[in-house]
Amino acid sequence: MLLFALGFLLVILQPSTGQFPRVCANVESLLSKECCPPWEGDGSPCGELSSRGSCQNILLSQAPLGPQFPFSGVDDREDWPSVFYNRTCRCEGNFMGFSCGECKFGFSGLNCTERQVKTRRNIFQLTASEKNKFLAYLNLAKNIPSQDYVIATGTYAQMDNGSNPMFRDINVYDLFVWMHYYASRDTLLGGSNVWRDIDFAHEAPGFLPWHRVFLLMWERQIQRITGDENFTIPYWDWRDAEDCEVCNDEYMGGRHPTDPNLLSPASIFSSWQVICTRSEEYNSQQALCSATGEGPIRRNPGNNDKSRTPRLPSSADVEFCLSLTQYESGPMDKMANYSFRNTLEG
């Protein structure tokens, strides 16, 4: 499924997305449980000599846990990233990143003091060249390795508690597909046991902040690999749409002429391979998605379960959602009533 984020611009996270900095994916960092790489600008850990940040013990929430997850110490994502690293860079001012080498979102300049305001635009209001550039950027991201991050191919226990690192390279686009999978995957309990009723990115108050950071990070990575600092993710305003208006070869790929579940061969996306789609297979193997290709994109718009999702949201649906003044309500999951977050999530 394309991760293009059109229309989901409300969507991101505290840097607990599930990414692993390449410079910390090694035995030394895992055994010391420290990820405080030097900032390339001055060579000091976290850019401390330039007052960008310093290596500190991570801060964990002291809030009591809810009853939704009746386990402790069995999932690498609990109290992220403490299972892997308990000392990381704590950045000052408008600096951010695993080495404090980047500016916070919305800032730029040598010292990250210049305020940036960027406007995301309706995809149908892009010029032909702007739209083609966007598609080319997506294709580049799918075909260029991430220089900053790698993915884990095993749990911390499978890595012998850090003495046997299990990481691999991944392209920039699939990095974010994998991160989304990693945050929402089932908990592996050993043997054939899994806990499916868990999701660190959905159906809870963190849905909005998690996805908002997620998209901002993805947008930033596109800017970095293309050198286009002005790039922003376009959106599709799907209110009142009767069908998938971006599902054609001019945009995100039309329907294959002989197989409605496949993309048109005229679309650049028809050659893409999907990853992380076989959760039951990973569960049975007690393994993580390794980000190997699992076949072409399969999409058949309009063939959804009409009893569950009869149509795309209407303008009235959107206005009702925006009228809700309570961000969250009990029980703070998919059963929450009159919760803005839960209504927005669908």
Side-chain angles (χ1 to χ4, degrees):
M1 179 176 180
L2 286 177
L3 169 128
F4 53 20
L6 299 176
F8 310 113
L9 300 178
L10 33 136
V11 205
I12 148 171
L13 111 164
Q14 255 273 83
S16 53
T17 36
Q19 77 276 18
F20 293 87
R22 180 183 297 276
V23 291
C24 296
N26 52 64
V27 172
E28 180 182 1
S29 296
L30 291 172
L31 293 183
S32 68
K33 302 196 75 169
E34 181 175 294
C35 182
C36 294
W39 173 52
E40 60 183 14
D42 65 14
S44 66
C46 312
E48 186 168 10
L49 293 178
S50 300
S51 300
R52 296 178 78 96
S54 58
C55 192
Q56 301 283 335
N57 294 332
I58 62 172
L59 299 175
L60 297 175
S61 171
Q62 299 303 310
L65 300 178
Q68 297 91 340
F69 190 63
F71 304 99
S72 179
V74 299
D75 195 305
D76 290 347
R77 299 165 297 179
E78 296 175 53
D79 290 329
W80 182 268
S82 62
V83 170
F84 294 93
Y85 313 107
N86 54 33
R87 284 178 61 80
T88 60
C89 288
R90 191 178 305 169
C91 305
E92 303 292 340
N94 294 330
F95 301 115
M96 64 169 279
F98 54 80
S99 66
C100 300
E102 297 185 58
C103 296
K104 283 184 178 178
F105 303 116
F107 291 90
S108 65
L110 186 62
N111 295 309
C112 301
T113 55
E114 300 172 21
R115 198 77 166 105
Q116 274 187 329
V117 177
K118 296 178 181 177
T119 302
R120 297 191 176 106
R121 299 164 58 195
N122 188 319
I123 193 168
F124 295 125
Q125 293 176 356
L126 301 180
T127 66
S129 62
E130 289 171 333
K131 179 262 299 177
N132 290 335
K133 182 171 68 173
F134 169 57
L135 299 182
Y137 283 0
L138 292 184
N139 207 37
L140 175 64
K142 182 73 171 178
N143 289 283
I144 189 170
S146 171
Q147 297 301 306
D148 294 328
Y149 299 105
V150 293
I151 63 166
T153 58
T155 65
Y156 190 67
Q158 289 168 347
M159 295 186 198
D160 294 329
N161 298 326
S163 61
N164 179 35
M166 298 172 65
F167 298 99
R168 63 166 291 184
D169 293 338
I170 192 168
N171 67 61
V172 171
Y173 188 96
D174 284 349
L175 168 68
F176 288 86
V177 178
W178 187 90
M179 282 165 50
H180 195 275
Y181 145 80
Y182 188 77
S184 56
R185 68 176 175 83
D186 298 333
T187 292
L188 305 178
L189 297 175
S192 60
N193 298 317
V194 297
W195 180 260
R196 290 180 172 82
D197 194 19
I198 185 67
D199 192 321
F200 286 84
H202 304 86
E203 298 180 356
F207 170 74
L208 274 165
W210 193 95
H211 285 84
R212 182 166 173 75
V213 172
F214 178 81
L215 285 184
L216 283 174
M217 291 183 65
W218 184 61
E219 194 172 62
R220 174 70 59 84
Q221 288 296 308
I222 297 289
Q223 292 166 356
R224 292 190 63 179
I225 64 173
T226 62
D228 185 352
E229 293 296 322
N230 294 314
F231 168 76
T232 56
I233 305 171
Y235 66 88
W236 168 36
D237 184 352
W238 35 249
R239 291 174 298 175
D240 305 311
E242 295 184 0
D243 54 29
C244 180
E245 298 167 345
V246 296
C247 295
N248 55 57
D249 288 338
E250 184 180 0
Y251 293 98
M252 309 315 298
R255 184 169 286 169
H256 195 284
T258 59
D259 186 342
N261 293 299
L262 295 178
L263 296 187
S264 162
S267 167
I268 60 171
F269 301 114
S270 64
S271 64
W272 283 27
Q273 289 276 306
V274 299
I275 64 167
C276 301
T277 64
R278 301 172 180 172
S279 58
E280 290 306 314
E281 180 180 312
Y282 315 143
N283 288 345
S284 66
Q285 298 173 355
Q286 290 285 298
L288 300 184
C289 166
S290 64
T292 54
E294 296 174 350
I297 295 172
R298 305 188 68 81
R299 186 183 69 203
N300 192 342
N303 197 40
N304 56 292
D305 184 347
K306 298 296 193 301
S307 65
R308 296 187 60 190
T309 311
R311 55 175 171 76
L312 288 166
S314 66
S315 293
D317 294 328
V318 173
E319 291 303 315
F320 171 73
C321 181
L322 293 175
S323 73
L324 298 175
T325 58
Q326 189 169 355
Y327 176 78
E328 190 60 283
S329 63
M332 298 191 181
D333 58 19
K334 61 184 177 182
M335 302 306 293
N337 290 320
Y338 292 98
S339 152
F340 171 76
R341 185 274 314 161
N342 199 34
T343 305
L344 181 70
E345 198 169 351

